[in-house]
Amino acid sequence: MLDAKPAKPLVTVKDLKMYFPIHTGLFRRHTGDVKAVDGLSFTIFEGETLGLVGESGCGKSTVGRALLRLYELTSGSVTIDGDDIATLSSEELRLKRPAMQMVFQDPQASLNPRMTVAAIIGEPLDEHTDWNAEKKLARVYELMDAVGLNRAFANRYPHAFSGGQRQRIGIARALALNPKFIVCDEPIAALDVSIQAQVVNLLEDLQEKMGLTYLFISHDLSMVRHIADRVAVMYLGRIAELSPREPLYADPLHPYAKALLSAVPDPDPETEGKRQRIILQGDVPSPSNPPKGCNFCTRCPEVIPICREVKPELAEVRPGRFVACHLVTPDNQKAAPGSTGGPEATEHNQQGEPKK
Amino acid sequence: MPDGAKPVLDVRGLQTVFRTRGGDVHAVNSVSFHLKPGELLGVVGESGSGKSVTMMSLIGLLPMPPAEVRAGEVLLGDVDILKITPEQLRDVRGRRIGFVFQDPMTSLNPVFTVGNQVMEPLLRHMNMDKKQAFARAVELMELVGIPDATRRMKDYPHQFSGGMRQRVMIAIALACDPEVLIADEPTTALDVTIQAQIIELVKDLRTKLGMAIVWITHDLGVIAGIADRVMVMYGGQVVEQAPVKELFANPQHPYTRALLKTIPSVSGQREARLKVIEGQPPILGAAPTACPFKPRCGHAFDRCGNENPQRRALGADPVGYGHDVACHWDARTGGPV
């Protein structure tokens, strides 16, 4: 799928950092930072869906918000369609907003209960166009058709709609200005199983019709497998592995990606009975005090001494597959392809060390 | 009775109604099920399908009014616990039926230490003095895998992570060796890697303690891995019930069949497009006179609108013991029953 497209990057993120300061004591002195996102680099190509998965608190939602500069970045750059949005002035940023939109997790909280559906969907048009009321209404109807809402409901309020329909309103609002890039932050997490599929199919249809690019943030690994072309697995503010969908799900390389995928229950009692689970011990460390070295070293079942000292860099270990792990080395350096753990991998790391 | 074993919990024709200003809401409609000793029954359904309300009503945890249990009996051993006094029911709750709720953040009291809360049922039900209760509480915390249990007894809930809090909830539920443990979406609020830890813990405890468990969830994946038998609920009623492998291999009700197709999997073939169940779950207004799934069902015919289907057994076993389904359409022949 990916190879067929001309790989033109739409969003390029370089060394993105998003720290939230901690103030303590009587004088509210700055005593530390919650390192929600700690040095992230990746690219999203035009027309693709990049899935961003991880457990709660790993920083995935922060990435989504930082990409649209809903937060002021601590450092790093985010280039969307040629402009580095981290350095734009507020007016330039406002003019840039139509190209980048967001669909939020909770359709209940992200819609103003005092506005009608038509007013909610039309609000971006009020802000960014000088169209007359008639033209705006025509556009609102067009959008309602596109997301499968009945036009007759245009004057109703959000409370009159079900969760799935509310999420459709949120999607219509995001589409109003013909964006190129949409961040979908857990768009289906609040919905029932039978409704989730409806919304995911809608997002896929719209992508096909309008050539949209998505960052699809979710903790639901099976749904991400369905919708994403490439998937980034985050752990504690960093990317552990970024790979195309099929190789990631068939053969995850990073120990965290392996554990995460093995933890997802499979709706099939036959395979469930046979599966070997990797049960991670303990909990995720606090992002205000991440461990030294690799941030997964406290829970990693394959940890070796170097992991506690040196932070692994995200490197391309197979064509298109990026992994940040001392145990995973590029194919051409491998003595025994396919094996990741064990002494030979340690050797390669030691050999690799002087190069840095 | 098949299998010989007498059920530890036997629920018959339970009907729960919420009386609201807008009229009665029929949340649970003649739900019957039983639980054999040592068995894990999975209850699956979407929000509003009545799965939690069923379990809450059988141990009297619903606020009454507005809730009202109109009919049915709940036999725990030989006693109908719907008929006993509130005082007697208090001795059942926590002592004979343990409960684990969905949200470990809100179901622990933030102003008491965790130790205090694990000791509470022991002091209330087991006639232990404080010293005995403390020792037993430490044992329980170790049993559910809380490291450094003696020291952590003095900690407050906010000092525990989500997974650890759910372990504390399980320790409380297990404190008095209940015959039945009801777990209402115990892993829904947790991350997948923590969910995997809790599922392993429950599997392990089951073999050690041998209690019967009702596990409520909307996640068919969790059910596939843990349950012996599954009950599928829709619109306040049981639409299908079967042993777990039978249900996944051979689903009969159109809702179960559609539900199994809508969920993508992390392994196996990736579908190009997800199957959807069109429409919305029903609003449970008046007492049902039609099949609740009819508006979304691809196989519906006239009879489905006129008559709410009763559960019918598919094999020789009576309803509740083998595979049964509440549907006028026969999946095996592809036509009306």
mmCIF file of all heavy atoms in Angstrom, chain A residues 9-32:
data_model
loop_
_atom_site.group_PDB
_atom_site.id
_atom_site.type_symbol
_atom_site.label_atom_id
_atom_site.label_comp_id
_atom_site.label_asym_id
_atom_site.label_seq_id
_atom_site.Cartn_x
_atom_site.Cartn_y
_atom_site.Cartn_z
ATOM 1 N N PRO A 9 6.534 13.617 2.258
ATOM 2 C CA PRO A 9 6.205 13.862 3.654
ATOM 3 C C PRO A 9 5.301 15.078 3.816
ATOM 4 O O PRO A 9 5.541 16.116 3.185
ATOM 5 C CB PRO A 9 7.564 14.099 4.319
ATOM 6 C CG PRO A 9 8.576 14.132 3.246
ATOM 7 C CD PRO A 9 7.937 13.880 1.935
ATOM 8 N N LEU A 10 4.252 14.927 4.609
ATOM 9 C CA LEU A 10 3.365 16.057 4.889
ATOM 10 C C LEU A 10 3.713 16.659 6.240
ATOM 11 O O LEU A 10 3.730 17.866 6.408
ATOM 12 C CB LEU A 10 1.905 15.589 4.875
ATOM 13 C CG LEU A 10 0.882 16.685 5.134
ATOM 14 C CD1 LEU A 10 0.766 17.622 3.948
ATOM 15 C CD2 LEU A 10 -0.483 16.095 5.460
ATOM 16 N N VAL A 11 3.982 15.780 7.194
ATOM 17 C CA VAL A 11 4.319 16.229 8.543
ATOM 18 C C VAL A 11 5.689 15.671 8.895
ATOM 19 O O VAL A 11 5.912 14.465 8.787
ATOM 20 C CB VAL A 11 3.281 15.721 9.561
ATOM 21 C CG1 VAL A 11 3.634 16.202 10.962
ATOM 22 C CG2 VAL A 11 1.886 16.160 9.179
ATOM 23 N N THR A 12 6.605 16.552 9.257
ATOM 24 C CA THR A 12 7.924 16.092 9.676
ATOM 25 C C THR A 12 8.187 16.602 11.092
ATOM 26 O O THR A 12 8.145 17.804 11.334
ATOM 27 C CB THR A 12 9.017 16.619 8.729
ATOM 28 O OG1 THR A 12 8.619 16.311 7.401
ATOM 29 C CG2 THR A 12 10.357 15.965 9.020
ATOM 30 N N VAL A 13 8.421 15.694 11.992
ATOM 31 C CA VAL A 13 8.656 16.053 13.379
ATOM 32 C C VAL A 13 10.112 15.765 13.694
ATOM 33 O O VAL A 13 10.598 14.672 13.405
ATOM 34 C CB VAL A 13 7.745 15.230 14.313
ATOM 35 C CG1 VAL A 13 7.993 15.589 15.770
ATOM 36 C CG2 VAL A 13 6.289 15.454 13.950
ATOM 37 N N LYS A 14 10.806 16.767 14.254
ATOM 38 C CA LYS A 14 12.218 16.560 14.588
ATOM 39 C C LYS A 14 12.457 16.856 16.057
ATOM 40 O O LYS A 14 12.213 17.966 16.515
ATOM 41 C CB LYS A 14 13.106 17.471 13.728
ATOM 42 C CG LYS A 14 13.234 16.969 12.310
ATOM 43 C CD LYS A 14 14.576 17.395 11.689
ATOM 44 C CE LYS A 14 14.676 16.893 10.257
ATOM 45 N NZ LYS A 14 14.181 17.907 9.294
ATOM 46 N N ASP A 15 12.900 15.848 16.768
ATOM 47 C CA ASP A 15 13.318 15.983 18.164
ATOM 48 C C ASP A 15 12.311 16.773 19.003
ATOM 49 O O ASP A 15 12.670 17.662 19.757
ATOM 50 C CB ASP A 15 14.704 16.644 18.223
ATOM 51 C CG ASP A 15 15.387 16.330 19.554
ATOM 52 O OD1 ASP A 15 15.093 15.258 20.114
ATOM 53 O OD2 ASP A 15 16.174 17.163 20.026
ATOM 54 N N LEU A 16 11.052 16.399 18.864
ATOM 55 C CA LEU A 16 9.984 17.085 19.594
ATOM 56 C C LEU A 16 10.075 16.788 21.084
ATOM 57 O O LEU A 16 10.131 15.630 21.494
ATOM 58 C CB LEU A 16 8.625 16.631 19.053
ATOM 59 C CG LEU A 16 7.378 17.123 19.785
ATOM 60 C CD1 LEU A 16 7.188 18.613 19.564
ATOM 61 C CD2 LEU A 16 6.161 16.370 19.312
ATOM 62 N N LYS A 17 10.096 17.859 21.882
ATOM 63 C CA LYS A 17 10.085 17.692 23.336
ATOM 64 C C LYS A 17 8.957 18.510 23.916
ATOM 65 O O LYS A 17 8.745 19.654 23.521
ATOM 66 C CB LYS A 17 11.413 18.143 23.946
ATOM 67 C CG LYS A 17 12.511 17.132 23.736
ATOM 68 C CD LYS A 17 13.791 17.497 24.435
ATOM 69 C CE LYS A 17 14.856 16.466 24.050
ATOM 70 N NZ LYS A 17 16.200 16.966 24.257
ATOM 71 N N MET A 18 8.251 17.916 24.831
ATOM 72 C CA MET A 18 7.153 18.622 25.484
ATOM 73 C C MET A 18 7.264 18.324 26.973
ATOM 74 O O MET A 18 6.915 17.230 27.414
ATOM 75 C CB MET A 18 5.836 18.088 24.889
ATOM 76 C CG MET A 18 4.606 18.865 25.273
ATOM 77 S SD MET A 18 4.619 20.550 24.666
ATOM 78 C CE MET A 18 4.360 21.396 26.205
ATOM 79 N N TYR A 19 7.810 19.274 27.716
ATOM 80 C CA TYR A 19 7.954 19.097 29.163
ATOM 81 C C TYR A 19 6.923 19.968 29.872
ATOM 82 O O TYR A 19 6.690 21.103 29.489
ATOM 83 C CB TYR A 19 9.346 19.529 29.652
ATOM 84 C CG TYR A 19 10.504 18.689 29.161
ATOM 85 C CD1 TYR A 19 11.810 19.055 29.477
ATOM 86 C CD2 TYR A 19 10.301 17.531 28.419
ATOM 87 C CE1 TYR A 19 12.895 18.295 29.036
ATOM 88 C CE2 TYR A 19 11.366 16.777 27.977
ATOM 89 C CZ TYR A 19 12.660 17.162 28.278
ATOM 90 O OH TYR A 19 13.724 16.413 27.842
ATOM 91 N N PHE A 20 6.315 19.414 30.908
ATOM 92 C CA PHE A 20 5.428 20.226 31.745
ATOM 93 C C PHE A 20 6.140 20.477 33.065
ATOM 94 O O PHE A 20 6.507 19.532 33.752
ATOM 95 C CB PHE A 20 4.098 19.517 31.969
ATOM 96 C CG PHE A 20 3.324 19.298 30.706
ATOM 97 C CD1 PHE A 20 3.383 18.089 30.030
ATOM 98 C CD2 PHE A 20 2.550 20.324 30.180
ATOM 99 C CE1 PHE A 20 2.686 17.896 28.847
ATOM 100 C CE2 PHE A 20 1.851 20.129 29.005
ATOM 101 C CZ PHE A 20 1.912 18.920 28.336
ATOM 102 N N PRO A 21 6.357 21.747 33.409
ATOM 103 C CA PRO A 21 7.142 22.036 34.614
ATOM 104 C C PRO A 21 6.411 21.646 35.899
ATOM 105 O O PRO A 21 5.185 21.694 35.963
ATOM 106 C CB PRO A 21 7.348 23.552 34.538
ATOM 107 C CG PRO A 21 6.258 24.051 33.662
ATOM 108 C CD PRO A 21 5.911 22.954 32.713
ATOM 109 N N ILE A 22 7.169 21.223 36.882
ATOM 110 C CA ILE A 22 6.609 20.942 38.204
ATOM 111 C C ILE A 22 7.071 22.052 39.134
ATOM 112 O O ILE A 22 8.268 22.331 39.230
ATOM 113 C CB ILE A 22 7.123 19.596 38.754
ATOM 114 C CG1 ILE A 22 6.796 18.459 37.784
ATOM 115 C CG2 ILE A 22 6.539 19.303 40.129
ATOM 116 C CD1 ILE A 22 7.512 17.169 38.124
ATOM 117 N N HIS A 23 6.149 22.709 39.801
ATOM 118 C CA HIS A 23 6.495 23.751 40.761
ATOM 119 C C HIS A 23 6.133 23.262 42.151
ATOM 120 O O HIS A 23 5.029 22.798 42.374
ATOM 121 C CB HIS A 23 5.727 25.033 40.449
ATOM 122 C CG HIS A 23 6.036 25.577 39.096
ATOM 123 N ND1 HIS A 23 7.177 26.273 38.814
ATOM 124 C CD2 HIS A 23 5.361 25.480 37.919
ATOM 125 C CE1 HIS A 23 7.180 26.610 37.534
ATOM 126 N NE2 HIS A 23 6.100 26.130 36.967
ATOM 127 N N THR A 24 7.077 23.361 43.060
ATOM 128 C CA THR A 24 6.787 22.903 44.412
ATOM 129 C C THR A 24 7.217 23.942 45.437
ATOM 130 O O THR A 24 7.934 24.894 45.128
ATOM 131 C CB THR A 24 7.526 21.584 44.734
ATOM 132 O OG1 THR A 24 8.885 21.739 44.338
ATOM 133 C CG2 THR A 24 6.932 20.398 44.031
ATOM 134 N N GLY A 25 6.776 23.736 46.662
ATOM 135 C CA GLY A 25 7.206 24.559 47.784
ATOM 136 C C GLY A 25 6.465 25.868 47.863
ATOM 137 O O GLY A 25 5.615 26.196 47.021
ATOM 138 N N LEU A 26 6.797 26.633 48.867
ATOM 139 C CA LEU A 26 6.117 27.885 49.137
ATOM 140 C C LEU A 26 6.282 28.872 47.987
ATOM 141 O O LEU A 26 5.383 29.617 47.627
ATOM 142 C CB LEU A 26 6.705 28.470 50.429
ATOM 143 C CG LEU A 26 6.101 29.763 50.948
ATOM 144 C CD1 LEU A 26 4.616 29.585 51.222
ATOM 145 C CD2 LEU A 26 6.821 30.188 52.211
ATOM 146 N N PHE A 27 7.459 28.871 47.375
ATOM 147 C CA PHE A 27 7.726 29.858 46.333
ATOM 148 C C PHE A 27 7.468 29.323 44.933
ATOM 149 O O PHE A 27 7.823 29.944 43.960
ATOM 150 C CB PHE A 27 9.169 30.366 46.461
ATOM 151 C CG PHE A 27 9.428 30.982 47.797
ATOM 152 C CD1 PHE A 27 10.171 30.319 48.755
ATOM 153 C CD2 PHE A 27 8.867 32.223 48.114
ATOM 154 C CE1 PHE A 27 10.380 30.883 50.001
ATOM 155 C CE2 PHE A 27 9.071 32.784 49.362
ATOM 156 C CZ PHE A 27 9.830 32.124 50.320
ATOM 157 N N ARG A 28 6.816 28.134 44.891
ATOM 158 C CA ARG A 28 6.475 27.504 43.608
ATOM 159 C C ARG A 28 7.689 27.494 42.687
ATOM 160 O O ARG A 28 7.626 27.902 41.534
ATOM 161 C CB ARG A 28 5.308 28.230 42.914
ATOM 162 C CG ARG A 28 4.132 28.562 43.778
ATOM 163 C CD ARG A 28 3.567 27.424 44.559
ATOM 164 N NE ARG A 28 3.039 26.330 43.734
ATOM 165 C CZ ARG A 28 2.848 25.101 44.200
ATOM 166 N NH1 ARG A 28 3.176 24.811 45.428
ATOM 167 N NH2 ARG A 28 2.356 24.172 43.442
ATOM 168 N N ARG A 29 8.802 27.050 43.250
ATOM 169 C CA ARG A 29 10.007 26.987 42.432
ATOM 170 C C ARG A 29 9.943 25.850 41.433
ATOM 171 O O ARG A 29 9.326 24.809 41.705
ATOM 172 C CB ARG A 29 11.233 26.816 43.321
ATOM 173 C CG ARG A 29 11.864 28.144 43.703
ATOM 174 C CD ARG A 29 13.157 27.895 44.390
ATOM 175 N NE ARG A 29 13.012 26.798 45.339
ATOM 176 C CZ ARG A 29 13.665 26.720 46.488
ATOM 177 N NH1 ARG A 29 14.501 27.651 46.837
ATOM 178 N NH2 ARG A 29 13.498 25.696 47.292
ATOM 179 N N HIS A 30 10.570 26.035 40.309
ATOM 180 C CA HIS A 30 10.601 25.019 39.264
ATOM 181 C C HIS A 30 11.564 23.905 39.683
ATOM 182 O O HIS A 30 12.770 24.097 39.683
ATOM 183 C CB HIS A 30 11.042 25.673 37.950
ATOM 184 C CG HIS A 30 11.066 24.723 36.793
ATOM 185 N ND1 HIS A 30 11.765 24.962 35.653
ATOM 186 C CD2 HIS A 30 10.462 23.533 36.616
ATOM 187 C CE1 HIS A 30 11.611 23.944 34.821
ATOM 188 N NE2 HIS A 30 10.815 23.079 35.386
ATOM 189 N N THR A 31 11.024 22.782 40.091
ATOM 190 C CA THR A 31 11.886 21.743 40.663
ATOM 191 C C THR A 31 12.052 20.532 39.758
ATOM 192 O O THR A 31 12.783 19.612 40.085
ATOM 193 C CB THR A 31 11.316 21.239 41.996
ATOM 194 O OG1 THR A 31 9.941 20.913 41.792
ATOM 195 C CG2 THR A 31 11.453 22.276 43.069
ATOM 196 N N GLY A 32 11.367 20.515 38.648
ATOM 197 C CA GLY A 32 11.515 19.355 37.768
ATOM 198 C C GLY A 32 10.548 19.465 36.611
ATOM 199 O O GLY A 32 9.838 20.467 36.473
#
